[in-house]
Amino acid sequence: CHLIGYLRLSHHLIALNFVICTFDKLDFASHKDVKITDTVFDGVEVRVYQPPAKEDEGLKRSVVYIHGGGWALARAKMGAYNNLCRIMAESLNAVVVSVEYRLVPEVCFPEQWHDALRATKHFLQPDVLAEYSVDPSRIAISGDSAGGNLAAAVCQQLSKDEHLTIRPKLQALIYPVLQAFDFSTPSYQQNMNIPILRRTVMIDYWTYYLNANSDLTPSLLINNHTALDVGQAASFRERLNWTSLLPSSFKKTYKPVIQTTGKAEIMQEVPALLDVRAAPLLAEDETLQLQPKTYILICENDVLRDDGMMYAKRLEKAGVEVTLDHFEDCFHGCMIFTSWPADFSAGVQTRNSYIKWLDENL
């Protein structure tokens, strides 16, 4: 990875890292009887949460959870995610597997994707599910932000794997990041300076994740990488045409930013910008048709709002049953803000809605 570029973190990224590290030191209330085990699935560290067995109980349902943090921050074991997964295990009476994928700058794309895929495929083996008393027909894959990106990309890959006998019943994506094609969607324009995920910060995450030169940020910001003269981008353009995929309440008066002449060399230098493993929204319709029943949570005050909305619309057009949960007064990352001193109503509200959907559909 470009370690020097990573070390040149913006003040926003440094501040976010401070918040995450602070959360990691908080002493969250424990949830009695939830057994927590750290283990390894096919070379990938995971943390498994098991609620207590009940008398005459059958097999349990399960959630594979992939945490957020821009592919570079946070951990499955950090306080906020540990707390979320314990609450999920207890509330759903489900086995929760939290994936501890490797982070930038240790590794870059596609290694995070490989880690999440390997861990998930290992868990989906019949003998492993039997070891944890999990019902093979009641498994969800889920994640937030960059974890939502990985969950969607892994789910797409699993749906195409002809050797798999067990696949997720559901996917649940929390304010997922799904594309690096257009950084001027209405939500990117509307929320470009909204904490905790400003537009330039999201582009920084992308460049670090894709092992790209951080000097490309100004060009990415104005969509020079997907200009009309960049032939590699042409076939993908309709797959995230927000002028047709977004409702008028999202589009407002914003206009598309499409350069006539851009920089084709960016795509030559960073081909992963158009790799569906990095940008699941770019997947072809044939892949989307294979996706399971889906939940997507989006927040109005979030640059990624339109990523989630466009994916929901494309999945619906492909025949997938989708629940879109749009929170008008919430912001990116709010779901982990549920405990003192940051016990926000936005966090509790989104978490409860998410868990309620899982409870009703898993």
Side-chain angles (χ1 to χ4, degrees), residues 145 175-179 182-203 205-206 221 242 246 250 281 298-310 330-333:
S145 193
Y175 30 75
V177 49
L178 299 170
Q179 59 89 24
D182 184 357
F183 291 111
S184 291
T185 63
S187 62
Y188 264 114
Q189 295 185 56
Q190 172 182 297
N191 301 301
M192 66 173 68
N193 292 314
I194 297 293
I196 51 178
L197 189 63
R198 292 177 169 85
R199 179 166 61 171
T200 53
V201 173
M202 189 64 245
I203 295 175
Y205 279 137
W206 272 113
L221 190 64
W242 61 258
L246 297 181
F250 280 26
L281 184 54
I298 58 176
C299 297
E300 181 65 22
N301 305 303
D302 182 5
V303 293
L304 300 179
R305 180 201 65 186
D306 295 346
D307 283 24
M309 172 60 85
M310 287 190 286
C330 293
F331 56 93
H332 187 84

Side-chain angles (χ1 to χ4, degrees), residues 6-20:
Y6 178 79
L7 292 175
R8 290 169 52 197
L9 289 170
S10 69
H11 294 302
H12 304 299
L13 282 176
I14 293 171
L16 185 54
N17 193 37
F18 173 78
V19 171
I20 288 174

Side-chain angles (χ1 to χ4, degrees), residues 151-182:
V154 165
C155 200
Q156 289 183 5
Q157 181 63 30
L158 295 175
S159 72
K160 296 183 290 186
D161 191 329
E162 297 177 353
H163 301 291
L164 279 182
T165 58
I166 300 169
R167 293 184 176 87
K169 177 185 180 182
L170 310 171
Q171 67 173 337
L173 312 176
I174 313 303
Y175 30 75
V177 49
L178 299 170
Q179 59 89 24
F181 189 98
D182 184 357

Side-chain angles (χ1 to χ4, degrees), residues 63-301:
V63 179
V64 175
Y65 194 84
I66 308 174
H67 71 80
W71 308 284
L73 304 173
R75 300 179 303 136
K77 301 180 181 69
M78 72 171 266
Y81 284 115
N82 193 52
N83 188 50
L84 172 62
C85 290
R86 285 189 299 191
I87 289 174
M88 289 168 60
E90 187 176 52
S91 301
L92 298 169
N93 190 34
V95 176
V96 176
V97 176
S98 187
V99 181
E100 193 76 275
Y101 59 91
R102 290 169 296 166
L103 303 174
V104 174
E106 178 188 354
V107 297
C108 294
F109 174 81
E111 295 310 313
Q112 286 84 347
W113 178 83
H114 281 306
D115 285 356
L117 180 63
R118 288 204 314 273
T120 304
K121 288 182 69 172
H122 178 88
F123 182 61
L124 292 177
Q125 295 178 101
D127 58 332
V128 177
L129 296 177
E131 178 185 348
Y132 290 100
S133 300
V134 168
D135 185 340
S137 67
R138 303 179 73 191
I139 301 168
I141 183 166
S142 183
D144 67 291
S145 193
N149 168 281
L150 294 170
V154 165
C155 200
Q156 289 183 5
Q157 181 63 30
L158 295 175
S159 72
K160 296 183 290 186
D161 191 329
E162 297 177 353
H163 301 291
L164 279 182
T165 58
I166 300 169
R167 293 184 176 87
K169 177 185 180 182
L170 310 171
Q171 67 173 337
L173 312 176
I174 313 303
Y175 30 75
V177 49
L178 299 170
Q179 59 89 24
F181 189 98
D182 184 357
F183 291 111
S184 291
T185 63
S187 62
Y188 264 114
Q189 295 185 56
Q190 172 182 297
N191 301 301
M192 66 173 68
N193 292 314
I194 297 293
I196 51 178
L197 189 63
R198 292 177 169 85
R199 179 166 61 171
T200 53
V201 173
M202 189 64 245
I203 295 175
D204 282 345
Y205 279 137
W206 272 113
T207 56
Y208 301 139
Y209 180 44
L210 301 182
N211 197 20
N213 193 320
S214 59
D215 291 343
L216 293 177
T217 296
S219 287
L220 295 174
L221 190 64
I222 59 174
N223 290 337
N224 269 342
H225 61 307
T226 53
L228 292 176
D229 66 331
V230 179
Q232 301 98 311
S235 62
F236 295 97
R237 196 168 300 282
E238 280 304 310
R239 298 183 189 178
L240 44 81
N241 178 7
W242 61 258
T243 63
S244 62
L245 290 170
L246 297 181
S248 57
S249 60
F250 280 26
K251 289 185 287 188
K252 300 184 175 68
T253 59
Y254 294 107
K255 303 298 181 184
V257 176
I258 305 174
Q259 306 296 342
T260 302
T261 304
K263 294 185 176 181
E265 59 269 24
I266 296 176
M267 285 304 186
Q268 296 166 3
E269 182 181 338
V270 196
L273 285 164
L274 297 179
D275 192 318
V276 296
R277 297 173 300 170
L281 184 54
L282 298 180
E284 58 189 9
D285 292 341
E286 290 76 9
T287 297
L288 298 189
Q289 291 170 1
L290 301 174
Q291 300 316 296
K293 188 174 184 179
T294 299
Y295 171 89
I296 300 178
L297 187 152
I298 58 176
C299 297
E300 181 65 22
N301 305 303

Side-chain angles (χ1 to χ4, degrees), residues 17-33:
N17 193 37
F18 173 78
V19 171
I20 288 174
C21 290
T22 300
F23 265 105
D24 206 14
K25 294 177 173 62
L26 295 180
D27 183 21
F28 290 93
S30 63
H31 293 261
K32 60 180 180 180
D33 300 329

